[in-house]
Amino acid sequence: MNKTVLNFQNVWKTYRMGDEIVNALAGVNLTLEKGSFTSMMGPSGSGKSTLLHVGGILDMPTQGTLLMNGKDTSKLSRKKQAKFRRKEIGFVFQRFNLLNQLTVMENIMLPSLDSENNKAEELLERIRLEKKHDKKPNQLSGGEQQRVCIARALINNPSLILADEPTGELDTRNAEVIMNLLKDLNENDGVTILIATHNQLAADFTDKILEMQDGKIQ
Ligand SMILES: Nc1ncnc2c1ncn2[C@@H]1O[C@H](COP(=O)(O)OP(=O)(O)O)[C@@H](O)[C@H]1O
Ligand SMILES: [Mg+2]
């Protein structure tokens, strides 16, 4: 039997802006099995980023239940949530948000729960940037910066990677490099991956494409 990593049960996320109410998520049911590779497509404002934030316990649902590895995340203290997030989840964003004052190596090590840097060295080889570990992010191309973000997301061996438009700022060639890297992590390391994307080419790398509309999965 497949293990479930993430399970949304009738999840709602409501934002109030003055008198206006927006249901960014409107009853999402979604199960991510261990080792799955899934993409979400859908128009801007359909709730993709909100789903990734709630799924990554960066934000709590207004209503409904989110189970991670079978545990109800709302029953965890904030401290436990933070620990869980750091240990189990790697985030990759569209804008690379690396710290420009730090080297590539220091950026990768930043969220590390372990002061040994063997893992970071191994990841640098994996993203094929071993020669650039002392460079600053602004000395790298966009594609290279996104590879560093993926390495940073992997530093604590997370069971889940959540990526919001990971190829959104990249040309086709670099988008393919990033998607091949994610596919390799999924196939050879068993990392469960969920991405949001506008890019059909990126979505075609995944095993399942979900369509979001008006806060729901179609
Ligand atoms: N922090 C927020 N405060 C108010 N409204 C928000 C907030 N975040 C998202 N929304 C609204 O929720 C809806 C879904 O947004 P989002 O999840 O960013 O969609 P997508 O990533 O698919 O473009 C949009 O209508 C957006 O304006
Ligand atoms: Mg978005």
Side-chain angles (χ1 to χ4, degrees):
M1 201 183 78
N2 274 339
K3 270 175 99 181
T4 298
V5 174
L6 204 56
N7 187 206
F8 289 74
Q9 299 178 343
N10 191 28
V11 169
W12 291 70
K13 182 73 191 178
T14 306
Y15 291 111
R16 255 164 243 278
M17 304 271 281
D19 290 343
E20 222 190 312
I21 289 175
V22 178
N23 289 317
L25 300 179
V28 168
N29 292 296
L30 173 63
T31 302
L32 292 184
E33 302 292 354
K34 187 167 165 32
S36 58
F37 189 11
T38 309
S39 54
M40 265 187 297
M41 299 192 80
S44 284
S46 59
K48 303 181 297 298
S49 294
T50 304
L51 189 149
L52 292 173
H53 293 160
V54 171
I57 346 177
L58 290 168
D59 216 344
M60 294 309 283
T62 310
Q63 224 184 290
T65 306
L66 179 78
L67 302 178
M68 182 159 291
N69 297 335
K71 286 198 192 87
D72 184 342
T73 52
S74 72
K75 302 246 156 71
L76 301 172
S77 66
R78 282 191 81 87
K79 208 172 156 190
K80 284 241 171 71
Q81 284 178 8
K83 201 167 164 197
F84 206 72
R85 191 189 303 128
R86 234 176 148 189
K87 178 82 200 67
E88 298 289 341
I89 309 171
F91 293 95
V92 177
F93 301 97
Q94 173 174 1
R95 288 177 207 286
F96 317 125
N97 62 28
L98 297 167
L99 295 178
N100 269 318
Q101 302 87 325
L102 302 183
T103 65
V104 163
M105 187 70 173
E106 288 165 342
N107 268 285
I108 294 175
M109 287 292 289
L110 199 59
S112 180
L113 296 168
D114 176 355
S115 58
E116 294 287 326
N117 59 9
N118 302 348
K119 175 77 184 171
E121 300 278 5
E122 181 193 314
L123 288 168
L124 268 173
E125 272 174 46
R126 185 89 184 247
I127 61 170
R128 316 197 64 180
L129 289 180
E130 56 273 46
K131 295 212 179 79
K132 304 223 168 162
H133 71 288
D134 286 329
K135 297 271 189 239
K136 299 285 170 64
N138 56 18
Q139 296 174 291
L140 305 181
S141 72
E144 289 172 338
Q145 289 184 49
Q146 194 60 304
R147 275 144 67 194
V148 174
C149 292
I150 291 176
R152 182 183 56 184
L154 289 168
I155 192 73
N156 295 320
N157 291 316
S159 51
L160 174 66
I161 289 201
L162 300 172
D164 200 354
E165 315 259 4
T167 65
E169 306 272 308
L170 303 177
D171 61 19
T172 302
R173 195 175 58 83
N174 279 301
E176 279 179 359
V177 171
I178 292 299
M179 292 311 298
N180 272 314
L181 181 57
L182 291 175
K183 190 153 187 72
D184 175 48
L185 289 166
N186 171 252
E187 284 182 349
N188 296 316
D189 300 63
V191 182
T192 308
I193 304 177
L194 176 63
I195 71 167
T197 187
H198 277 109
N199 183 347
Q200 186 66 49
L201 178 144
D204 287 341
F205 275 83
T206 69
D207 297 327
K208 188 174 183 183
I209 303 178
L210 305 172
E211 201 54 45
M212 278 220 65
Q213 196 164 359
D214 301 328
K216 290 191 189 70
I217 294 168
Q218 297 298 299

